[in-house]
Each structure stands twice: as C-alpha cells, then as structure tokens.
Coordinates of all heavy atoms in Angstrom, one line a residue:
M1 N 0.9 -1.2 -0.1 CA 0.0 0.0 0.0 C 0.9 1.2 0.0 O 1.8 1.3 0.7 CB -0.9 0.0 1.2 CG -1.7 1.3 1.3 SD -2.8 1.3 2.8 CE -4.3 0.9 2.0
K2 N 0.5 2.2 -0.8 CA 1.3 3.4 -0.9 C 1.0 4.2 0.4 O -0.1 4.3 0.9 CB 0.9 4.3 -2.1 CG 0.9 3.6 -3.4 CD 2.3 3.8 -3.9 CE 2.2 3.1 -5.3 NZ 3.5 3.0 -5.9
I3 N 2.0 4.8 0.9 CA 1.8 5.7 2.2 C 1.8 7.1 1.8 O 1.6 7.9 2.6 CB 3.0 5.4 3.2 CG1 4.3 5.7 2.5 CG2 2.9 4.0 3.7 CD1 5.4 5.8 3.6
F4 N 1.8 7.5 0.5 CA 1.8 8.8 0.1 C 0.8 9.0 -1.0 O 0.7 8.2 -2.0 CB 3.2 9.0 -0.5 CG 3.5 10.4 -1.0 CD1 3.8 11.5 0.0 CD2 3.4 10.8 -2.3 CE1 3.9 12.7 -0.5 CE2 3.6 12.1 -2.7 CZ 3.9 13.0 -1.8
F5 N 0.0 10.0 -0.8 CA -1.1 10.3 -1.8 C -0.7 11.7 -2.3 O -1.0 12.7 -1.7 CB -2.4 10.2 -1.2 CG -3.5 10.3 -2.1 CD1 -4.3 9.2 -2.4 CD2 -3.9 11.4 -2.7 CE1 -5.4 9.2 -3.2 CE2 -5.0 11.5 -3.6 CZ -5.8 10.4 -3.9
A6 N -0.2 11.8 -3.5 CA 0.3 13.0 -4.0 C -0.9 13.8 -4.7 O -1.5 13.2 -5.6 CB 1.4 12.8 -4.9
I7 N -1.1 15.0 -4.3 CA -2.1 15.9 -4.9 C -1.5 17.2 -5.3 O -0.8 17.8 -4.5 CB -3.3 16.1 -4.0 CG1 -3.8 14.7 -3.6 CG2 -4.3 16.9 -4.5 CD1 -4.8 14.8 -2.4
T8 N -1.8 17.6 -6.5 CA -1.3 18.9 -7.0 C -2.5 19.8 -7.6 O -3.4 19.2 -8.0 CB -0.2 18.7 -8.0 OG1 0.4 19.9 -8.3 CG2 -0.6 18.0 -9.3
S9 N -2.3 20.9 -7.6 CA -3.2 21.9 -8.3 C -4.6 21.7 -7.8 O -5.6 21.7 -8.5 CB -3.2 21.7 -9.8 OG -1.9 21.9 -10.2
I10 N -4.8 21.5 -6.5 CA -6.1 21.2 -6.0 C -7.1 22.4 -6.1 O -8.2 22.3 -6.6 CB -6.1 20.8 -4.6 CG1 -5.4 19.4 -4.6 CG2 -7.5 20.6 -3.9 CD1 -5.7 18.4 -3.5
F11 N -6.6 23.5 -5.7 CA -7.4 24.7 -5.7 C -7.0 25.6 -6.9 O -6.7 26.7 -6.7 CB -7.3 25.4 -4.4 CG -7.8 24.7 -3.1 CD1 -7.1 24.6 -2.0 CD2 -8.9 24.0 -3.3 CE1 -7.5 23.9 -1.0 CE2 -9.4 23.3 -2.3 CZ -8.7 23.1 -1.1
I12 N -7.1 25.0 -8.1 CA -6.7 25.7 -9.3 C -7.6 26.9 -9.3 O -7.3 28.1 -9.6 CB -6.8 24.8 -10.5 CG1 -5.8 23.8 -10.5 CG2 -6.8 25.7 -11.8 CD1 -5.8 22.9 -11.6
S13 N -9.0 26.7 -9.2 CA -9.9 27.8 -9.3 C -11.2 27.5 -8.4 O -11.6 26.5 -8.3 CB -10.3 28.1 -10.7 OG -11.0 27.0 -11.2
I14 N -11.6 28.5 -7.8 CA -12.9 28.5 -7.1 C -13.8 29.6 -7.8 O -13.5 30.7 -7.8 CB -12.7 28.9 -5.7 CG1 -11.9 27.8 -5.0 CG2 -14.1 28.9 -5.0 CD1 -11.6 28.0 -3.5
I15 N -14.8 29.1 -8.5 CA -15.6 29.9 -9.4 C -16.9 30.2 -8.6 O -17.5 29.3 -8.2 CB -15.9 29.2 -10.7 CG1 -14.6 28.9 -11.4 CG2 -16.8 30.1 -11.5 CD1 -14.8 28.0 -12.6
L16 N -17.3 31.5 -8.5 CA -18.5 31.8 -7.9 C -19.6 32.3 -8.9 O -19.4 33.2 -9.6 CB -18.3 33.0 -6.9 CG -17.3 32.7 -5.8 CD1 -17.0 34.0 -5.0 CD2 -17.7 31.6 -4.9
H17 N -20.7 31.5 -8.9 CA -21.9 31.8 -9.8 C -23.0 31.9 -8.9 O -23.5 30.8 -8.5 CB -22.0 30.8 -10.9 CG -20.9 30.7 -11.8 ND1 -20.7 31.7 -12.8 CD2 -19.9 29.9 -12.1 CE1 -19.7 31.4 -13.6 NE2 -19.2 30.3 -13.1
S18 N -23.5 33.0 -8.6 CA -24.6 33.3 -7.6 C -24.3 32.5 -6.4 O -23.4 32.8 -5.6 CB -26.0 32.9 -8.3 OG -26.0 31.5 -8.7
Q19 N -25.1 31.4 -6.0 CA -24.9 30.7 -4.8 C -24.0 29.5 -5.1 O -23.6 28.8 -4.1 CB -26.3 30.2 -4.2 CG -27.1 31.3 -3.9 CD -26.6 32.1 -2.7 OE1 -25.7 31.7 -2.0 NE2 -27.2 33.2 -2.5
E20 N -23.6 29.2 -6.3 CA -22.8 28.0 -6.6 C -21.3 28.2 -6.6 O -20.9 29.1 -7.1 CB -23.2 27.4 -7.9 CG -22.7 26.1 -8.2 CD -23.2 25.5 -9.5 OE1 -24.3 25.2 -9.6 OE2 -22.3 25.4 -10.5
K21 N -20.6 27.4 -5.9 CA -19.2 27.4 -5.8 C -18.6 26.2 -6.5 O -19.1 25.1 -6.2 CB -18.6 27.5 -4.4 CG -19.1 28.7 -3.7 CD -18.7 28.7 -2.3 CE -19.5 29.8 -1.5 NZ -19.5 29.5 -0.1
T22 N -17.5 26.2 -7.2 CA -16.9 25.1 -7.8 C -15.4 25.0 -7.6 O -14.8 26.0 -7.6 CB -17.1 25.2 -9.4 OG1 -18.5 25.3 -9.7 CG2 -16.6 23.9 -10.0
I23 N -14.9 23.9 -7.2 CA -13.5 23.7 -6.9 C -13.1 22.7 -8.1 O -13.6 21.7 -8.4 CB -13.2 23.0 -5.6 CG1 -13.6 24.0 -4.6 CG2 -11.6 22.7 -5.6 CD1 -13.4 23.4 -3.1
T24 N -12.1 23.2 -8.9 CA -11.5 22.3 -9.9 C -10.1 21.9 -9.6 O -9.4 22.7 -9.0 CB -11.7 23.0 -11.3 OG1 -10.9 24.2 -11.2 CG2 -13.1 23.3 -11.7
G25 N -9.6 20.9 -10.0 CA -8.2 20.5 -9.7 C -7.8 19.2 -10.5 O -8.4 18.7 -11.3
E26 N -6.6 18.8 -10.1 CA -6.0 17.6 -10.7 C -5.3 16.8 -9.7 O -4.8 17.4 -8.8 CB -5.0 18.2 -11.7 CG -4.4 17.2 -12.6 CD -3.6 17.9 -13.7 OE1 -3.6 19.2 -13.7 OE2 -2.9 17.2 -14.5
V27 N -5.4 15.5 -9.8 CA -4.9 14.6 -8.8 C -3.7 13.8 -9.5 O -4.0 13.2 -10.5 CB -5.9 13.6 -8.3 CG1 -5.4 12.8 -7.1 CG2 -7.1 14.4 -7.7
W28 N -2.5 13.7 -8.9 CA -1.3 13.2 -9.4 C -0.7 12.2 -8.6 O -0.6 12.4 -7.3 CB -0.4 14.2 -9.9 CG -0.7 14.8 -11.2 CD1 -1.5 15.8 -11.4 CD2 -0.1 14.5 -12.4 NE1 -1.6 16.2 -12.8 CE2 -0.6 15.3 -13.4 CE3 0.9 13.6 -12.8 CZ2 -0.3 15.3 -14.7 CZ3 1.3 13.6 -14.1 CH2 0.7 14.4 -15.1
N29 N -0.1 11.2 -9.1 CA 0.9 10.3 -8.4 C 2.3 10.8 -8.7 O 2.7 10.5 -9.9 CB 0.6 8.9 -8.7 CG 1.6 7.9 -8.0 OD1 2.6 8.3 -7.4 ND2 1.4 6.7 -8.3
F30 N 2.9 11.5 -7.9 CA 4.3 12.0 -8.2 C 5.3 10.9 -8.3 O 6.4 11.1 -9.0 CB 4.7 13.1 -7.2 CG 3.9 14.4 -7.5 CD1 3.2 14.9 -6.5 CD2 4.1 15.1 -8.6 CE1 2.5 16.1 -6.6 CE2 3.4 16.2 -8.8 CZ 2.6 16.8 -7.8
E31 N 5.1 9.8 -7.7 CA 6.1 8.7 -7.7 C 6.2 8.2 -9.2 O 7.3 7.8 -9.6 CB 5.5 7.6 -6.9 CG 6.6 6.9 -6.0 CD 6.0 5.9 -5.0 OE1 5.6 4.8 -5.5 OE2 5.9 6.3 -3.9
N32 N 5.1 8.1 -9.9 CA 5.1 7.7 -11.2 C 5.0 8.7 -12.3 O 4.9 8.5 -13.5 CB 4.0 6.6 -11.5 CG 4.2 5.4 -10.6 OD1 5.2 5.1 -10.2 ND2 3.0 4.8 -10.3
N33 N 4.8 10.0 -11.8 CA 4.6 11.1 -12.6 C 3.5 11.0 -13.6 O 3.6 11.2 -14.8 CB 5.9 11.5 -13.4 CG 5.8 12.9 -13.9 OD1 5.2 13.8 -13.3 ND2 6.5 13.2 -15.0
E34 N 2.3 10.5 -13.0 CA 1.1 10.4 -13.9 C -0.1 10.7 -13.1 O -0.1 10.6 -11.8 CB 1.0 8.9 -14.4 CG 0.9 7.9 -13.2 CD 0.9 6.5 -13.8 OE1 1.5 6.3 -14.8 OE2 0.4 5.7 -13.0
P35 N -1.3 11.2 -13.8 CA -2.4 11.5 -13.2 C -3.1 10.2 -12.6 O -3.0 9.1 -13.1 CB -3.3 12.1 -14.2 CG -2.7 11.6 -15.5 CD -1.3 11.3 -15.3
L36 N -3.9 10.5 -11.6 CA -4.6 9.4 -10.9 C -6.1 9.4 -11.4 O -6.8 10.4 -11.2 CB -4.7 9.4 -9.4 CG -3.3 9.1 -8.7 CD1 -3.4 9.4 -7.3 CD2 -3.0 7.7 -9.0
S37 N -6.6 8.4 -12.1 CA -7.9 8.3 -12.6 C -8.9 7.7 -11.6 O -8.5 6.9 -10.8 CB -7.9 7.4 -13.9 OG -7.0 7.7 -14.8
Y38 N -10.1 8.3 -11.6 CA -11.2 7.8 -10.8 C -11.0 7.8 -9.3 O -11.4 6.9 -8.6 CB -11.6 6.4 -11.3 CG -11.7 6.4 -12.7 CD1 -10.8 5.7 -13.6 CD2 -12.7 7.1 -13.4 CE1 -10.9 5.6 -15.0 CE2 -12.8 7.2 -14.8 CZ -11.9 6.4 -15.6 OH -12.0 6.4 -16.9
V39 N -10.3 8.9 -8.8 CA -10.2 9.1 -7.4 C -11.5 9.7 -6.8 O -12.1 10.5 -7.5 CB -9.0 10.2 -7.1 CG1 -9.0 10.6 -5.7 CG2 -7.7 9.7 -7.7
N40 N -11.9 9.1 -5.7 CA -13.1 9.6 -5.1 C -12.8 10.9 -4.3 O -11.9 10.9 -3.6 CB -13.6 8.6 -4.1 CG -14.2 7.4 -4.8 OD1 -15.1 7.5 -5.7 ND2 -13.7 6.2 -4.5
I41 N -13.6 12.0 -4.6 CA -13.4 13.2 -3.9 C -14.7 13.7 -3.4 O -15.7 13.7 -4.0 CB -12.9 14.2 -5.0 CG1 -11.6 13.7 -5.7 CG2 -12.6 15.7 -4.4 CD1 -11.4 14.3 -7.1
G42 N -14.8 14.1 -2.1 CA -16.0 14.5 -1.5 C -15.8 15.3 -0.3 O -14.7 15.5 0.2
I43 N -16.8 15.9 0.3 CA -16.8 16.7 1.5 C -17.2 15.8 2.6 O -18.2 15.2 2.6 CB -17.8 17.9 1.4 CG1 -17.6 18.7 0.1 CG2 -17.7 18.8 2.6 CD1 -16.1 19.4 0.1
K44 N -16.3 15.7 3.7 CA -16.5 14.9 4.8 C -17.9 15.2 5.5 O -18.3 16.3 5.7 CB -15.5 15.1 5.8 CG -15.5 14.2 7.0 CD -14.3 14.4 7.9 CE -14.3 13.4 9.0 NZ -13.0 13.5 9.8
N45 N -18.6 14.1 5.7 CA -19.9 14.2 6.4 C -21.1 14.9 5.6 O -22.0 15.5 6.2 CB -19.9 14.6 7.8 CG -19.0 13.7 8.6 OD1 -19.0 12.5 8.5 ND2 -18.1 14.4 9.5
K46 N -20.9 15.1 4.3 CA -21.9 15.8 3.4 C -22.2 14.8 2.3 O -21.3 14.0 1.9 CB -21.3 17.1 3.0 CG -20.8 18.0 4.0 CD -21.9 18.8 4.7 CE -21.4 19.6 5.8 NZ -21.9 20.8 6.1
T47 N -23.2 15.1 1.6 CA -23.5 14.4 0.4 C -23.1 15.1 -0.9 O -23.9 15.4 -1.8 CB -25.0 14.2 0.2 OG1 -25.7 15.4 0.4 CG2 -25.5 13.2 1.4
V48 N -21.8 15.6 -0.9 CA -21.3 16.4 -2.0 C -20.0 15.7 -2.4 O -19.2 15.3 -1.6 CB -20.8 17.8 -1.5 CG1 -20.2 18.5 -2.6 CG2 -22.1 18.6 -1.1
G49 N -19.9 15.3 -3.7 CA -18.7 14.5 -4.1 C -18.7 14.4 -5.7 O -19.5 14.8 -6.3
T50 N -17.5 13.9 -6.0 CA -17.3 13.6 -7.5 C -16.2 12.6 -7.5 O -15.6 12.1 -6.6 CB -16.9 15.0 -8.1 OG1 -16.9 14.8 -9.6 CG2 -15.5 15.5 -7.8
V51 N -15.8 12.3 -8.8 CA -14.6 11.4 -9.1 C -13.7 12.1 -10.2 O -14.3 12.7 -11.1 CB -15.1 10.1 -9.7 CG1 -14.1 9.1 -10.1 CG2 -16.2 9.4 -8.6
S52 N -12.5 11.9 -10.1 CA -11.6 12.4 -11.1 C -11.7 11.7 -12.4 O -12.1 10.5 -12.4 CB -10.1 12.4 -10.6 OG -9.7 11.1 -10.5
N53 N -11.5 12.3 -13.5 CA -11.7 11.6 -14.8 C -10.4 10.9 -15.1 O -9.4 10.7 -14.4 CB -12.0 12.6 -15.9 CG -10.9 13.6 -16.3 OD1 -9.8 13.5 -15.9 ND2 -11.3 14.6 -17.1
N54 N -10.3 10.3 -16.3 CA -9.1 9.4 -16.7 C -7.8 10.2 -16.8 O -6.8 9.6 -16.9 CB -9.4 8.5 -17.9 CG -9.7 9.4 -19.1 OD1 -10.1 10.6 -19.0 ND2 -9.5 8.9 -20.3
N55 N -7.9 11.6 -16.7 CA -6.7 12.4 -16.8 C -6.4 13.0 -15.4 O -5.6 13.9 -15.3 CB -6.9 13.5 -17.8 CG -7.0 13.0 -19.1 OD1 -6.1 12.1 -19.6 ND2 -7.9 13.4 -20.0
G56 N -7.2 12.5 -14.4 CA -6.9 13.1 -13.0 C -7.6 14.4 -12.8 O -7.5 14.9 -11.7
L57 N -8.4 15.0 -13.7 CA -9.0 16.2 -13.5 C -10.4 16.0 -12.9 O -11.0 15.1 -13.0 CB -9.3 16.9 -14.9 CG -8.1 17.2 -15.7 CD1 -8.5 17.6 -17.0 CD2 -7.1 18.2 -15.1
F58 N -10.8 16.9 -11.9 CA -12.1 16.9 -11.3 C -12.7 18.3 -11.2 O -12.0 19.3 -11.2 CB -12.0 16.2 -10.0 CG -11.2 17.0 -8.9 CD1 -11.9 17.9 -8.1 CD2 -9.8 16.9 -8.8 CE1 -11.3 18.7 -7.1 CE2 -9.2 17.7 -7.8 CZ -9.9 18.6 -7.0
K59 N -14.0 18.3 -11.0 CA -14.8 19.5 -10.7 C -15.7 19.2 -9.6 O -16.5 18.2 -9.7 CB -15.5 19.9 -12.0 CG -15.9 21.3 -12.1 CD -16.6 21.7 -13.3 CE -15.6 22.3 -14.3 NZ -16.4 22.9 -15.5
L60 N -15.5 19.8 -8.5 CA -16.4 19.6 -7.3 C -17.4 20.7 -7.1 O -16.9 21.9 -6.9 CB -15.6 19.4 -6.0 CG -16.2 19.1 -4.7 CD1 -17.0 17.7 -4.8 CD2 -15.2 19.0 -3.7
F61 N -18.7 20.5 -7.3 CA -19.7 21.5 -7.1 C -20.2 21.6 -5.7 O -20.6 20.5 -5.2 CB -20.9 21.2 -8.1 CG -20.6 21.3 -9.5 CD1 -20.3 20.1 -10.2 CD2 -20.5 22.5 -10.2 CE1 -20.0 20.2 -11.5 CE2 -20.1 22.5 -11.5 CZ -19.9 21.3 -12.2
L62 N -20.0 22.7 -5.0 CA -20.4 23.0 -3.6 C -21.7 23.5 -3.6 O -22.1 24.4 -4.3 CB -19.3 23.8 -2.9 CG -17.9 23.4 -3.2 CD1 -17.0 24.3 -2.5 CD2 -17.7 21.9 -2.5
N63 N -22.5 23.2 -2.5 CA -23.8 23.8 -2.3 C -23.7 24.7 -1.0 O -22.6 24.8 -0.5 CB -24.9 22.7 -2.2 CG -24.6 21.8 -1.0 OD1 -24.0 22.1 0.0 ND2 -25.1 20.5 -1.1
D64 N -24.9 25.2 -0.6 CA -24.9 26.2 0.4 C -24.6 25.5 1.8 O -24.4 26.2 2.8 CB -26.1 27.0 0.5 CG -27.4 26.1 0.5 OD1 -27.3 24.9 0.3 OD2 -28.4 26.7 0.7
K65 N -24.6 24.2 1.8 CA -24.4 23.5 3.2 C -22.9 23.2 3.5 O -22.6 22.8 4.4 CB -25.1 22.2 3.1 CG -26.7 22.4 3.0 CD -27.3 21.1 3.0 CE -28.9 21.5 2.9 NZ -29.7 20.2 2.9
V66 N -22.0 23.6 2.5 CA -20.6 23.5 2.6 C -20.0 24.8 3.1 O -20.3 25.9 2.6 CB -20.0 23.0 1.3 CG1 -18.4 23.0 1.4 CG2 -20.5 21.7 0.7
S67 N -19.2 24.7 4.2 CA -18.6 25.9 4.8 C -17.1 25.8 4.7 O -16.5 24.8 4.5 CB -19.1 26.1 6.2 OG -18.5 25.2 7.1
S68 N -16.5 27.0 5.2 CA -15.1 26.9 5.3 C -14.5 26.1 6.4 O -13.2 25.9 6.4 CB -14.6 28.4 5.4 OG -15.1 28.9 6.7
K69 N -15.3 25.5 7.2 CA -14.9 24.6 8.2 C -14.8 23.1 7.8 O -14.4 22.2 8.5 CB -15.7 24.8 9.5 CG -15.6 26.1 10.1 CD -16.4 26.3 11.4 CE -16.4 27.7 11.9 NZ -17.2 27.9 13.0
D70 N -15.3 22.9 6.6 CA -15.4 21.5 6.0 C -14.0 21.0 5.5 O -13.2 21.8 5.4 CB -16.4 21.4 5.0 CG -17.8 21.5 5.5 OD1 -18.1 20.8 6.6 OD2 -18.7 22.2 4.9
T71 N -14.0 19.7 5.3 CA -12.8 19.0 4.8 C -13.1 18.2 3.5 O -14.1 17.6 3.3 CB -12.4 18.0 5.9 OG1 -12.1 18.6 7.1 CG2 -11.2 17.2 5.4
I72 N -12.2 18.5 2.5 CA -12.3 17.6 1.3 C -11.5 16.4 1.5 O -10.4 16.4 2.0 CB -11.7 18.5 0.2 CG1 -12.3 19.8 -0.1 CG2 -11.8 17.6 -1.1 CD1 -11.7 20.6 -1.1
I73 N -12.1 15.3 1.1 CA -11.5 14.0 1.3 C -11.2 13.3 -0.1 O -12.1 13.3 -0.9 CB -12.4 12.9 2.1 CG1 -12.6 13.5 3.5 CG2 -11.7 11.6 2.1 CD1 -13.6 12.8 4.3
F74 N -9.9 12.9 -0.3 CA -9.6 12.2 -1.5 C -9.2 10.7 -1.2 O -8.4 10.5 -0.3 CB -8.2 12.9 -2.1 CG -8.4 14.3 -2.6 CD1 -8.4 15.3 -1.6 CD2 -8.7 14.5 -3.9 CE1 -8.6 16.6 -2.0 CE2 -8.8 15.8 -4.3 CZ -8.8 16.9 -3.3
S75 N -9.9 9.8 -1.8 CA -9.6 8.4 -1.5 C -9.5 7.6 -2.8 O -10.1 7.9 -3.8 CB -10.7 7.8 -0.7 OG -11.9 7.8 -1.3
Y76 N -8.6 6.6 -2.7 CA -8.2 5.9 -3.9 C -7.7 4.6 -3.5 O -6.8 4.5 -2.5 CB -7.1 6.6 -4.8 CG -6.8 6.1 -6.2 CD1 -7.8 6.2 -7.2 CD2 -5.6 5.6 -6.4 CE1 -7.5 5.8 -8.4 CE2 -5.3 5.2 -7.7 CZ -6.3 5.3 -8.7 OH -6.0 4.8 -10.0
I77 N -8.1 3.4 -4.1 CA -7.7 2.1 -3.7 C -6.2 2.0 -3.8 O -5.6 2.3 -4.8 CB -8.4 1.0 -4.5 CG1 -9.9 1.0 -4.2 CG2 -7.8 -0.3 -4.2 CD1 -10.7 0.1 -5.0
G78 N -5.5 1.5 -2.8 CA -4.2 1.4 -2.8 C -3.3 2.5 -2.2 O -2.1 2.5 -2.2
F79 N -4.0 3.6 -1.9 CA -3.3 4.8 -1.5 C -3.9 5.2 -0.2 O -5.1 4.9 0.2 CB -3.6 6.0 -2.4 CG -2.7 5.9 -3.7 CD1 -3.1 5.1 -4.7 CD2 -1.6 6.7 -3.8 CE1 -2.4 4.9 -5.9 CE2 -0.8 6.6 -5.1 CZ -1.2 5.8 -6.1
K80 N -3.2 5.9 0.7 CA -3.7 6.5 1.9 C -4.6 7.6 1.6 O -4.3 8.4 0.7 CB -2.5 6.9 2.8 CG -2.9 7.4 4.1 CD -1.7 7.8 4.9 CE -2.0 8.4 6.3 NZ -0.9 8.8 7.0
T81 N -5.8 7.7 2.3 CA -6.7 8.7 2.1 C -6.1 10.1 2.6 O -5.3 10.2 3.6 CB -8.0 8.5 3.1 OG1 -8.5 7.3 2.5 CG2 -9.0 9.6 2.9
K82 N -6.4 11.1 1.7 CA -5.8 12.5 2.1 C -7.0 13.4 2.4 O -8.0 13.5 1.7 CB -5.1 13.0 0.8 CG -4.5 14.3 1.0 CD -3.3 14.3 1.9 CE -2.6 15.7 1.9 NZ -1.4 15.7 2.8
N83 N -6.8 14.2 3.4 CA -7.8 15.3 3.9 C -7.2 16.6 3.7 O -6.1 16.9 4.1 CB -8.2 15.1 5.3 CG -8.9 13.8 5.7 OD1 -9.8 13.4 4.9 ND2 -8.4 13.1 6.6
I84 N -8.0 17.5 3.0 CA -7.6 18.8 2.8 C -8.7 19.8 3.5 O -9.8 19.6 3.2 CB -7.5 19.2 1.4 CG1 -6.6 18.3 0.6 CG2 -7.1 20.7 1.1 CD1 -5.1 18.4 0.8
W85 N -8.2 20.7 4.3 CA -9.1 21.6 5.0 C -9.3 22.8 4.1 O -8.3 23.4 3.7 CB -8.7 21.9 6.4 CG -8.8 20.8 7.3 CD1 -9.8 20.4 8.1 CD2 -7.8 19.7 7.5 NE1 -9.6 19.1 8.8 CE2 -8.3 18.8 8.4 CE3 -6.6 19.4 7.0 CZ2 -7.6 17.6 8.8 CZ3 -5.9 18.3 7.3 CH2 -6.4 17.5 8.3
F86 N -10.5 23.4 4.2 CA -10.8 24.6 3.5 C -10.0 25.7 4.3 O -9.9 25.7 5.5 CB -12.2 24.9 3.5 CG -13.1 24.3 2.5 CD1 -13.9 23.3 2.8 CD2 -12.9 24.6 1.1 CE1 -14.7 22.7 1.8 CE2 -13.7 23.9 0.2 CZ -14.6 23.0 0.5
R87 N -9.7 26.7 3.6 CA -9.0 27.9 4.2 C -9.7 29.1 3.6 O -10.1 29.2 2.6 CB -7.5 28.0 3.8 CG -6.7 26.8 4.2 CD -6.1 27.0 5.5 NE -5.2 25.9 5.7 CZ -5.1 25.2 6.8 NH1 -5.8 25.5 7.8 NH2 -4.3 24.2 6.9
N88 N -9.9 30.2 4.5 CA -10.5 31.4 4.1 C -9.4 32.3 3.6 O -8.3 32.3 4.0 CB -11.2 32.1 5.2 CG -12.6 31.4 5.4 OD1 -13.1 30.8 4.6 ND2 -13.1 31.6 6.6

C-alpha cells in the first residue's frame, strides 16, 4: 500500500456563480509522474462529491451546506486517504 497520496493543483480555481461554488483541480501520483484516474473526492460528512476523470481532472460543485470549516477527502484504492481543510 502506498503511504503517500500526491495531490497537486487542488485549488486551481474557485468559481462563484450566484450561490454555486466550484472547486476544480488535478490529482497526481508524483512517484510515477502520472495522473490518478477515478479518485473519489468529497466533502466529509456531506452528500457532496465527485470522481476524477481518466486524466486526473475533477470538478467539485459545492452547495450552500458546505462551509469553510469543512474538509475535502480524496480516496483511492491502494493509497492512503488524504484530507484537505478549506482555508479562508
């Protein structure tokens, strides 16, 4: 099992459209220098989530129930789960 879950460019952009917020990013395995496909990405204890595509790219649409105190969770079989906390 990998003990390292490499993530890059997570907060590439946060787009604000009225009440909708979007986080886009890319998930990479730096050990092999390749993107990670189909990584599960979600907000801890919320029903908000997505999966990275075959190029490691993802778009996470946030609703009004997500706050700056929430945590983004990245999980992938064979890798250690990674938590990222929102920052203001």
Side-chain angles (χ1 to χ4, degrees):
M1 174 181 263
K2 305 273 185 192
I3 58 169
F4 183 78
F5 192 105
I7 299 170
T8 185
S9 303
I10 295 214
F11 298 133
I12 290 178
S13 65
I14 298 176
I15 304 167
L16 301 174
H17 294 289
S18 61
Q19 297 293 348
E20 187 176 293
K21 298 175 197 160
T22 305
I23 296 175
T24 59
E26 193 170 354
V27 187
W28 277 79
N29 176 356
F30 286 118
E31 220 172 77
N32 300 332
N33 197 30
E34 60 187 23
L36 289 174
S37 304
Y38 312 112
V39 174
N40 291 304
I41 304 155
I43 305 298
K44 186 175 184 175
N45 299 322
K46 306 279 175 147
T47 56
V48 176
T50 192
V51 177
S52 65
N53 69 14
N54 58 341
N55 295 316
L57 300 171
F58 70 90
K59 207 178 259 196
L60 183 61
F61 297 97
L62 307 176
N63 59 31
D64 58 347
K65 295 180 182 177
V66 177
S67 76
S68 62
K69 295 179 183 180
D70 285 319
T71 302
I72 304 174
I73 298 175
F74 295 82
S75 63
Y76 190 69
I77 295 174
F79 286 76
K80 185 178 178 182
T81 297
K82 180 72 176 178
N83 296 314
I84 306 285
W85 291 268
F86 281 108
R87 305 265 188 225
N88 282 340

